[in-house]
């Protein structure tokens, strides 16, 4: 256990030194603050409070940004150590391979968590200051829910990045695979689902299967979870409606990133144990 | 003497390629053994087997009585690969401390070992700014932090300038003096000569010879060379009379065995040739390696057929 935390701490330190923490925090903060001001402009004409609007916008933003940040954080983890020759040093020590891998996972998730908490937290504070009292406890809960679920969803993609890194063994290949994975999970998957909807809006797929397909992809499950629990009122887009239209409780959607993380980490450990440095 | 590393009839193949063939030797506490061989001779494969990175296919390896790759073996062995690039943004102390913690050492142990390799003053600097020699000593520090019983160094001096090499070998001498068994591989045969007790010569995965340098030299029966420059009698005449060869530098080279040495010198002096120069050249590790590599064409034959 101690060795695992030693690895996690080093990854966090590397994240701080290489400015990954700063860069990802600033990126999230920039977009979040931008959304606060856009949401505050009178043109929106919506009656939901600023924090709820912010959470709705951030939920959509997170689906694109967080998987990208998570994959970029972790794709180099194993392939890079192989390239630099440091994997041999690590594996010559008495650390278990699973501990080494979990340590790296924890380290990267910590980097991501810091960025999300600071970036979204500050933006939430700004929205709160603008709201002038119209904010309810429910909307604050919505923000906290967003932050927590963002970290969970990010963790699934950190694990995925680690798996790609263990599969590739060369940094350049791992980088290409990470970008492709991002494109697949975040853009192409949704396009495919949308295609299914458009082709047969009243079919079995659109009516029954669709919500479950959303659950398979941790990024979509994250959006379902946050949007379904928001009290958007008139701001509701109708794309992902309220909890009532889902065939399962919204909180169940959170199982998707958790299960995905566990499954991918298990695969990653199996793969990592076969690597001969 | 107790053996820290025992390698017993180890063979290893990668697909059709035979990397090691029936290799056996041992290394005792406080002993430094040099693994000598050209690229692809099987040195690194041997290291990877001892570390447990590769499964032992045939034969037996024990590290202090433990199988390679087990936790007990990992605790006792440390390794410095040929090329390793530490994260540039970390300081020397952070790096050594990290590997030390993985081996259960304190921060103080990391500081002590950095002092020992001469990086005490640079420990708070980021290693991105270290020179090649400093980086290599940092690599040695991470290997030494937990006071291993067996230290494996793969080409530790490649790319170092002569002065850094000298410092590095002095450090290795000190480490061996504390009881650590050291196995190092190198191409630079002559630089090893004064720092290793035993030599194991590998060629195409075969162990050509293994033993104390003096023993190997005696067994090989390599001749000494006398380098002579004539005075009153010219060098070419001396060369023809003693069956020597002329060298480009104008001296002649006369081969003789250790037993014949004094007799030849007496004859040379009896010539009253007014010798301008007389120098002995004893065979070294380079000659020994060439001798053994030439003596066993078996390995090459086996590859062809």
């Amino acid at each position: 256990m101690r060795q695992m935390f030693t690895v996690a701490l080093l990854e966090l330190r590397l994240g701080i030194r290489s400015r990954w923490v700063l860069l990802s925090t600033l990126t999230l903060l920039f977009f979040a603050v931008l959304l606060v001001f856009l949401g505050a402009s009178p043109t929106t004409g919506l009656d939901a409070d600023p924090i709820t609007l912010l959470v709705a916008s951030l939920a959509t933003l997170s689906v694109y940004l967080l998987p990208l940040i998570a994959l970029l954080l972790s794709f180099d983890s194993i392939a890079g150590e192989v390239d630099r020759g440091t994997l041999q040093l690590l594996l010559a020590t008495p650390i278990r391979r699973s501990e080494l891998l979990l340590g790296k996972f924890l380290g990267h998730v910590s980097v991501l968590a810091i960025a999300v908490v600071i970036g979204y937290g500050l933006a939430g504070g700004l929205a709160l200051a603008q709201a002038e009292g119209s904010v309810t406890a429910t909307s604050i809960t919505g923000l906290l829910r967003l932050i927590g679920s963002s970290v969970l969803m990010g963790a699934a993609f950190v694990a995925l990045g680690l798996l790609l890194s263990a599969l590739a063994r060369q940094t350049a290949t791992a980088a290409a695979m990470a970008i492709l994975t991002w494109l697949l999970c975040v853009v192409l998957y949704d396009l495919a689902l949308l295609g299914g909807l458009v082709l047969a809006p009243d079919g079995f797929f659109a009516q029954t299967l669709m919500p479950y397909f959303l659950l398979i992809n941790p990024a979509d499950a994250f959006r379902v979870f946050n949007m379904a629990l928001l009290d958007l009122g008139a701001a509701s887009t109708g794309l992902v409606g309220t909890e009532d239209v889902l065939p399962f409780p919204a909180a169940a959607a959170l199982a998707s990133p958790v299960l995905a993380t566990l499954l991918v980490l298990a695969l990653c450990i199996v793969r990592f144990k076969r690597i001969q440095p | 003497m107790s053996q820290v590393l025992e390698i017993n009839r180890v063979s290893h193949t990668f697909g059709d390629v035979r990397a090691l063939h029936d290799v056996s030797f041992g290394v005792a506490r406080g002993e430094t053994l040099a693994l000598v061989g050209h690229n692809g001779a099987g040195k690194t494969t041997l290291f990877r087997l001892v570390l447990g990175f590769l499964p032992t296919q045939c034969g037996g390896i024990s590290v202090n009585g433990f199988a390679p790759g087990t936790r007990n073996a990992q605790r006792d062995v440390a390794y410095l690969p040929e090329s390793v690039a530490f994260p540039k943004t970390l300081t020397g102390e952070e790096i050594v401390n990290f590997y030390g913690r993985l081996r259960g050492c304190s921060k103080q142990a990391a500081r002590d070992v950095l002092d020992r390799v001469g990086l005490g003053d640079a420990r708070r600097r980021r290693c991105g700014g270290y020179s090649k020699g400093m980086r290599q000593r940092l690599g040695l520090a991470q290997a030494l932090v937990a006071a291993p019983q067996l230290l494996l160094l793969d080409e530790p001096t490649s790319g170092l300038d002569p002065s850094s090499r000298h410092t590095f070998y002095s450090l290795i001498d000190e480490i061996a003096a504390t009881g650590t068994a050291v196995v190092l591989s190198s191409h630079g045969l002559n630089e090893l000569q004064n720092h290793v007790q035993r030599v194991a010569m590998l060629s195409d995965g075969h162990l050509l010879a293994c033993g104390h340098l003096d023993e190997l030299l005696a067994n090989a029966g390599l001749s000494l060379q006398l380098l002579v420059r004539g005075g009153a009698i010219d060098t070419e005449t001396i060369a023809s009379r003693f069956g020597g060869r002329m060298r480009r530098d104008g001296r002649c080279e006369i081969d003789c065995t250790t037993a014949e040495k004094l007799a030849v010198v007496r004859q040379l002096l009896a010539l009253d040739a007014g010798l301008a120069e007389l120098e002995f050249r004893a065979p070294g590790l380079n000659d020994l390696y060439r001798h053994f590599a030439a003596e066993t064409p078996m390995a090459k034959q086996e590859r062809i057929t």
Side-chain angles (χ1 to χ4, degrees):
Chain A
M1 276 300 261
R2 213 190 60 181
Q3 289 168 318
M4 186 177 80
F5 287 116
T6 303
V7 174
L9 271 177
L10 187 86
E11 290 296 337
L12 183 59
R13 177 170 281 158
L14 282 170
I16 294 168
R17 291 280 164 80
S18 60
R19 306 220 158 68
W20 254 114
V21 173
L22 187 71
L23 213 83
S24 35
T25 307
L26 286 182
T27 308
L28 293 182
L29 187 64
F30 170 77
F31 283 106
V33 168
L34 201 67
L35 290 172
V36 172
F37 285 118
L38 286 178
S41 68
T43 49
T44 49
L46 298 170
D47 57 0
D49 74 81
I51 290 199
T52 305
L53 282 181
L54 175 69
V55 170
S57 319
L58 285 182
T60 305
L61 179 76
S62 294
V63 169
Y64 293 96
L65 275 186
L66 291 181
L68 188 65
I69 293 174
L71 287 166
L72 290 180
L73 271 173
S74 58
F75 82 88
D76 184 46
S77 270
I78 295 159
E81 299 265 15
V82 173
D83 276 355
R84 291 187 292 272
T86 39
L87 190 64
Q88 293 187 321
L89 293 184
L90 286 169
L91 296 183
T93 71
I95 190 171
R96 286 199 183 88
R97 292 193 184 204
S98 51
E99 285 179 314
L100 176 58
L101 201 78
L102 292 177
K104 282 179 171 290
F105 170 75
L106 280 182
H108 295 319
V109 172
S110 312
V111 171
L112 196 79
I114 293 174
V116 170
V117 169
I118 297 180
Y120 290 179
L122 283 181
L126 195 67
L128 193 66
Q130 282 198 338
E132 293 157 4
S134 69
V135 173
T136 61
T138 325
S139 55
I140 300 281
T141 316
L143 180 67
L144 293 177
R145 208 162 43 214
L146 173 85
I147 291 175
S149 56
S150 290
V151 175
L152 282 184
M153 188 258 285
F157 283 92
V158 167
L160 206 53
L162 279 170
L163 178 63
L164 299 177
S165 200
L167 288 170
R169 299 202 65 183
Q170 274 178 333
T171 317
T173 323
M177 284 162 81
I179 295 297
L180 196 70
T181 304
W182 177 80
L183 205 65
L184 264 174
C185 291
V186 171
V187 183
L188 298 181
Y189 190 83
D190 284 5
L191 276 183
L193 290 190
L194 210 60
L197 277 183
V198 169
L199 280 176
D202 301 319
F204 179 64
F205 173 76
Q207 293 299 314
T208 316
L209 286 183
M210 176 75 173
Y212 297 103
F213 270 90
L214 287 173
L215 280 191
I216 293 173
N217 186 344
D220 283 327
F222 160 84
R223 185 163 33 198
V224 168
F225 170 74
N226 280 288
M227 299 303 256
L229 288 176
L230 275 186
D231 179 21
L232 278 174
S236 174
T237 56
L239 257 178
V240 182
T242 56
E243 199 172 3
D244 316 337
V245 300
L246 291 174
F248 44 79
L254 268 194
S256 166
V258 174
L259 289 177
T261 304
L262 293 177
L263 177 73
V264 173
L265 277 181
L267 285 175
C268 194
I269 288 172
V270 171
R271 166 67 197 163
F272 189 45
K273 282 190 172 166
R274 293 168 143 220
I275 290 182
Q276 294 176 343
Chain B
M1 266 196 294
S2 57
Q3 299 282 300
V4 177
L5 174 65
E6 277 179 274
I7 291 174
N8 189 15
R9 309 206 62 178
V10 167
S11 298
H12 199 89
T13 52
F14 295 104
D16 294 338
V17 182
R18 185 177 282 178
L20 288 172
H21 181 80
D22 203 15
V23 173
S24 301
F25 63 85
V27 189
R29 258 179 65 81
E31 189 177 45
T32 306
L33 177 131
L35 268 181
V36 171
H38 54 80
N39 285 332
K43 298 175 305 235
T44 304
T45 304
L46 201 55
F47 281 142
R48 293 172 73 199
L49 282 166
V50 173
L51 288 159
F53 293 166
L54 296 174
T56 312
Q57 293 172 344
C58 183
I61 299 177
S62 100
V63 179
N64 252 347
F66 302 109
T70 56
R71 286 210 146 192
N72 285 324
Q74 283 170 327
R75 236 190 305 272
D76 292 341
V77 62
Y79 177 50
L80 178 60
E82 184 182 355
S83 60
V84 54
F86 295 110
K88 289 179 180 157
T89 52
L90 296 181
T91 67
E93 187 173 10
E94 285 167 340
I95 288 166
V96 177
N97 200 23
F98 171 67
Y99 289 101
R101 284 182 70 88
L102 291 185
R103 291 179 179 277
C105 299
S106 65
K107 280 188 176 176
Q108 189 56 44
R111 258 177 243 143
D112 291 346
V113 79
L114 280 164
D115 283 337
R116 196 164 156 203
V117 301
L119 289 176
D121 293 335
R123 69 187 163 97
R124 288 186 190 280
R125 271 167 48 196
R126 293 191 179 190
C127 74
Y130 282 13
S131 69
K132 169 96 183 163
M134 288 166 85
R135 285 203 297 272
Q136 202 64 353
R137 277 182 283 152
L138 179 63
L140 190 61
Q142 69 74 30
L144 288 177
V145 65
Q149 308 216 25
L150 174 64
L151 181 62
L152 305 176
L153 307 167
D154 197 359
E155 312 267 351
T157 56
S158 69
L160 294 189
D161 61 49
S163 149
S164 306
R165 279 172 194 227
H166 181 76
T167 318
F168 199 84
Y169 279 116
S170 306
L171 272 169
I172 290 169
D173 288 344
E174 282 174 31
I175 293 156
T178 62
T180 304
V182 182
V183 180
L184 60 95
S185 70
S186 180
H187 293 302
L189 301 182
N190 284 337
E191 68 187 39
L192 288 172
Q193 205 150 343
N194 299 320
H195 301 280
V196 300
Q197 279 102 33
R198 285 167 71 229
V199 181
M201 292 189 182
L202 280 172
S203 174
D204 289 323
H206 290 75
L207 187 66
L208 300 180
C210 181
H212 286 263
L213 201 51
D214 299 338
E215 283 170 21
L216 290 180
L217 282 168
N219 291 347
L222 291 177
S223 51
L224 294 165
Q225 278 157 352
L226 284 168
L227 303 178
V228 182
R229 197 192 298 278
I233 299 178
D234 65 46
T235 315
E236 285 179 27
T237 314
I238 298 174
S240 63
R241 206 173 287 181
F242 285 83
R245 299 174 299 275
M246 285 305 292
R247 287 163 52 106
R248 280 192 190 162
D249 61 4
R251 296 186 292 179
C252 78
E253 200 174 74
I254 302 165
D255 292 339
C256 65
T257 64
T258 316
E260 295 166 350
K261 180 173 70 179
L262 285 175
V264 175
V265 173
R266 256 186 237 118
Q267 285 173 23
L268 274 168
L269 293 173
L271 276 179
D272 200 18
L275 296 183
E277 197 183 332
L278 177 65
E279 186 189 326
F280 282 101
R281 204 177 145 262
L285 200 46
N286 260 329
D287 305 279
L288 200 60
Y289 182 65
R290 247 180 267 136
H291 168 80
F292 280 110
E295 204 181 48
T296 36
M298 165 195 84
K300 281 178 186 157
Q301 198 64 39
E302 203 174 82
R303 250 190 332 173
I304 296 164
T305 51

